Amino acid sequence: MRIRRKALAILLIALSTSTVPIFSFTASAHEIYYTGSSTNATAIPIKWNNFSNGKAYLKINGDNLSSEYSSAYSTASFLWSTYSQKVTTSQVSFGASTLDIASTTKAYWDQRFGIVGTGILGITDSKSTDGYIINSSNVQNSSKKVSYSQIFMTPYTSMYNSSNLNNHKIATITHEIGHALGLGHPNEYYYPTNVESIMRTGGDYEGYYVPRTHDINDLTNKY
Ligand SMILES: [Zn+2]
């Protein structure tokens, strides 16, 4: 989930000055879920299932994205495979896809997220090979391999940084695809770091939209 919320940004700044980031060796990457509690938390690694020749193979479709996202989609689709040797991407027809990226209506967004919804820019829903919707309540019972992901992009496009509009959209789509690959937020949960990462959450647009070194290393460690 990509969140733009000023209050959270202020909180994260406070955290980063008061804590020393520690990357635990129990985590292979910055994962979405952990079991246990700090400082003995253990990562629950979630991986993309379709993996061959050393690469996670994403079959992406964006037919259900509004024209507001067309340009961002065409760039963001291929950024992970451009920057990481662990990812291959192809754009395929709807129905042949394992990663669908779609726009939603404001009614859908309001119903799903309520009053905080306008601050959420994207959300990724993933399904495991054993049929679970992968979320915090059931991930420990699943195979932890993602067979399909659905990314929803906000209809509240006025929430994107107005002076970096398209780049912010690209960054958000890239961030959500990172979740499909099993990456979590490196600035929350048990082992936070303040390094540059496309997977950071909260705050405003950070000024870049391609995966950073930290993200590429996380994928290399995971796969
Ligand atoms: Zn996120």
Side-chain angles (χ1 to χ4, degrees), residues 71-82:
S71 173
Y73 169 73
S74 64
T75 300
S77 299
F78 294 101
L79 284 180
W80 285 105
S81 50
T82 298

Side-chain angles (χ1 to χ4, degrees), residues 134-204:
I134 296 182
N135 61 35
S136 58
S137 63
N138 64 27
V139 65
Q140 292 181 60
N141 296 321
S142 85
S143 70
K144 308 175 188 77
K145 293 271 184 72
V146 177
S147 57
Y148 174 80
S149 286
Q150 168 76 65
I151 294 172
F152 293 110
M153 303 303 296
T154 183
Y156 291 99
T157 52
S158 64
M159 296 302 292
Y160 288 105
N161 185 301
S162 57
S163 57
N164 296 281
L165 188 60
N166 200 50
N167 288 354
H168 197 189
K169 290 175 184 172
I170 296 169
T172 304
I173 294 173
T174 305
H175 175 104
E176 297 305 330
I177 295 174
H179 283 319
L181 289 165
L183 296 179
H185 300 143
N187 57 333
E188 58 175 22
Y189 306 123
Y190 299 117
Y191 310 107
T193 173
N194 56 13
V195 299
E196 284 192 357
S197 166
I198 201 69
M199 298 310 297
R200 293 177 69 80
T201 188
D204 207 342

Side-chain angles (χ1 to χ4, degrees), residues 8 12 35 42 81 90 92 100 131 149 159 170 190 194 199 223:
L8 186 58
L12 290 171
T35 184
T42 303
S81 50
S90 60
V92 302
D100 289 319
S149 286
M159 296 302 292
I170 296 169
Y190 299 117
N194 56 13
M199 298 310 297
Y223 292 97

Side-chain angles (χ1 to χ4, degrees), residues 45-122:
I46 297 170
K47 296 185 181 184
W48 189 253
N49 182 60
N50 188 348
F51 189 83
S52 61
N53 299 318
K55 296 170 188 287
Y57 185 21
L58 304 177
K59 294 191 279 186
I60 298 182
N61 179 274
D63 286 359
N64 294 308
L65 272 173
S66 78
S67 59
E68 286 184 288
Y69 284 103
S70 297
S71 173
Y73 169 73
S74 64
T75 300
S77 299
F78 294 101
L79 284 180
W80 285 105
S81 50
T82 298
Y83 283 84
S84 171
Q85 296 183 342
K86 295 293 183 177
V87 182
T88 295
T89 305
S90 60
Q91 290 180 344
V92 302
S93 61
F94 186 76
S97 48
T98 51
L99 177 58
D100 289 319
I101 309 178
S103 303
T104 69
T105 62
K106 289 181 178 176
Y108 173 89
W109 213 253
D110 294 347
Q111 200 267 331
R112 181 163 182 179
F113 299 114
I115 194 141
V116 301
T118 55
I120 296 171
L121 301 180

